[in-house]
Amino acid sequence: MSKINVNLPTGAAMPALGFGTWQATDEELESALNNALECGYRHIDTALVYENEAVIGKVLKQWLDSGRLKREDLFVVTKLPPSGNHPCLVRKFFTQSLDALQLEYLDLYLIHTPFAFKYVEGNLHPTNEDGEFLVDINTDHIAIWREMEKLQDEGLAKAIGLSNFNERQIKRICDNARVKPSNLQVELHVYFQQRPLVEFCKQRNITITAYSPLGSRGITSFMKKLGRDFPDLLSNPVILEIAKKYGKSAGQILLRHIVQRGIAAIPKSTNQERMKQNIDIFDFELSPEDITKVDNLDLGEDGRVCDFAFFKGLNKHPEFPF
């Protein structure tokens, strides 16, 4: 079975299985990305706030310069940081990302969050003396989106989209947009299947990308630092039973369930064997019976883990999405 793509409204084909890069050290990521490209990953997801775009750019340039890959083989995604959620700063941060990635264009550029931080030169995560984020409450999504549209008009971003926005915020942009969002990236996994939001976006021809589809190690370790637990999706008995039936790993079942819904997923791993497993999900299909079993694990809103409320001060922003 050939690899599956998620087709954007622009006509571009986004590989349904991508490589997530959050919470990886520079040295770890350089090795991991080389391994990922060797394994066949072509959809690479990052963000300016991950502070790893330069490492990714270095590796991609090596592959492109050597002729092992052509630019059109890759689908590269990055994101406008909360500090850049100001109309006058969109192009500045976009250019910064493009330069770090050493690319002439991006395949998809997303607004990372609906809330904004105050702009402080050289500080992507400005906080006050109490550790609260310095939020800028005067966030104008429509004005920001118009600057995003210009990037697509100029071919600098082949497609534009959103991340972590809720239905109300997405509708406001769609109602005022000249260029509609092509993609929404959100937390989505077996315990939080985001069915109402997915249907809402489907009606508006907006594709979905799932982050934390496996409760990745990077997310889990980050949550633990904040005194929160990410549920162990890989040890769920229903998933393990289905995995045994197909001769696959639990992770492969979780990812197959997502892509079979027409949703892209960006698991993050620096382990080469797990990388190979994660992308090796295109030689089988889950039966309708097994799809239903996995569907029934959904906890709805109670399954949300990455709600940003653990970042001090963010919930004071009028566009806090949850």
Side-chain angles (χ1 to χ4, degrees):
M1 187 179 298
S2 61
K3 292 181 182 178
I4 297 173
N5 292 319
V6 172
N7 296 316
L8 301 186
T10 60
M14 177 174 67
L17 209 289
F19 182 66
T21 63
W22 187 48
Q23 290 273 295
T25 64
D26 285 2
E27 183 178 346
E28 184 180 46
L29 180 57
E30 184 172 348
S31 173
L33 182 53
N34 273 299
N35 287 335
L37 293 170
E38 292 282 359
C39 290
Y41 288 85
R42 298 295 180 260
H43 172 179
I44 311 300
D45 181 87
T46 185
L48 193 142
V49 296
Y50 302 168
E51 300 183 82
N52 62 18
E53 290 173 324
V55 177
I56 292 171
K58 174 185 173 183
V59 174
L60 294 183
K61 188 173 190 304
Q62 290 170 347
W63 278 70
L64 293 168
D65 287 352
S66 70
R68 285 179 287 176
L69 280 178
K70 296 178 181 177
R71 176 63 184 91
E72 56 267 29
D73 297 330
L74 292 167
F75 193 97
V76 182
V77 185
T78 193
K79 309 174 190 80
L80 178 72
S83 295
N85 274 353
H86 311 272
C88 62
L89 293 174
V90 172
R91 189 170 296 265
K92 169 188 169 69
F93 280 105
F94 175 86
T95 301
Q96 186 176 328
S97 289
L98 201 63
D99 289 348
L101 290 163
Q102 302 187 59
L103 298 173
E104 294 182 355
Y105 66 87
L106 291 172
D107 296 278
L108 178 62
Y109 192 53
L110 306 175
I111 302 176
H112 204 155
T113 65
F115 49 80
F117 297 161
K118 290 184 177 178
Y119 176 68
V120 178
E121 182 68 36
N123 187 351
L124 288 172
H125 313 286
T127 56
N128 63 19
E129 59 275 9
D130 296 322
E132 289 188 343
F133 279 87
L134 298 177
V135 297
D136 187 329
I137 63 171
N138 300 309
T139 304
D140 186 342
H141 289 161
I142 306 307
I144 295 166
W145 188 253
R146 286 184 180 134
E147 295 303 312
M148 297 282 287
E149 290 177 327
K150 292 176 185 176
L151 298 174
Q152 182 167 328
D153 290 343
E154 296 168 31
L156 294 170
K158 299 298 184 182
I160 52 177
L162 308 167
S163 181
N164 299 302
F165 278 59
N166 63 30
E167 288 185 19
R168 173 181 55 81
Q169 294 162 337
I170 297 165
K171 184 177 186 301
R172 185 195 308 144
I173 287 179
C174 287
D175 287 348
N176 291 276
R178 177 173 52 80
V179 177
K180 307 297 185 189
S182 283
N183 181 258
L184 173 71
Q185 187 177 125
V186 287
E187 176 189 356
L188 189 151
H189 47 77
V190 64
Y191 293 143
F192 187 42
Q193 297 179 29
Q194 293 267 36
R195 293 193 172 272
L197 183 60
V198 169
E199 182 58 31
F200 175 88
C201 288
K202 183 179 179 181
Q203 292 172 1
R204 288 160 178 79
N205 201 25
I206 300 171
T207 62
I208 301 287
T209 299
Y211 70 71
S212 304
L214 303 177
S216 65
R217 182 169 59 90
I219 294 280
T220 304
S221 61
F222 182 72
M223 299 295 290
K224 285 182 177 177
K225 289 177 187 175
L226 299 166
R228 299 275 296 273
D229 288 323
F230 200 114
D232 185 357
L233 313 181
L234 299 169
S235 63
N236 180 280
V238 174
I239 299 299
L240 290 173
E241 177 191 357
I242 295 172
K244 184 177 180 181
K245 171 182 173 181
Y246 289 90
K248 295 289 184 178
S249 70
Q252 288 171 315
I253 299 302
L254 293 169
L255 293 171
R256 181 70 212 184
H257 179 257
I258 291 172
V259 302
Q260 216 163 306
R261 292 175 62 194
I263 297 169
I266 46 170
K268 177 254 176 178
S269 179
T270 54
N271 178 288
Q272 189 170 11
E273 189 53 40
R274 282 196 294 270
M275 278 187 227
K276 289 179 181 177
Q277 285 186 358
N278 288 346
I279 203 170
D280 184 23
I281 59 169
F282 301 103
D283 60 348
F284 76 107
E285 287 188 2
L286 296 173
S287 69
E289 176 188 15
D290 291 325
I291 287 283
T292 299
K293 288 180 180 178
V294 182
D295 287 351
N296 289 338
L297 298 175
D298 188 15
L299 300 175
E301 192 63 33
D302 289 341
R304 186 190 298 277
V305 177
C306 304
D307 61 3
F308 297 113
F310 41 76
F311 291 116
K312 290 179 68 174
L314 290 193
N315 56 2
K316 295 179 179 178
H317 196 286
E319 294 291 356
F320 186 76
F322 312 130

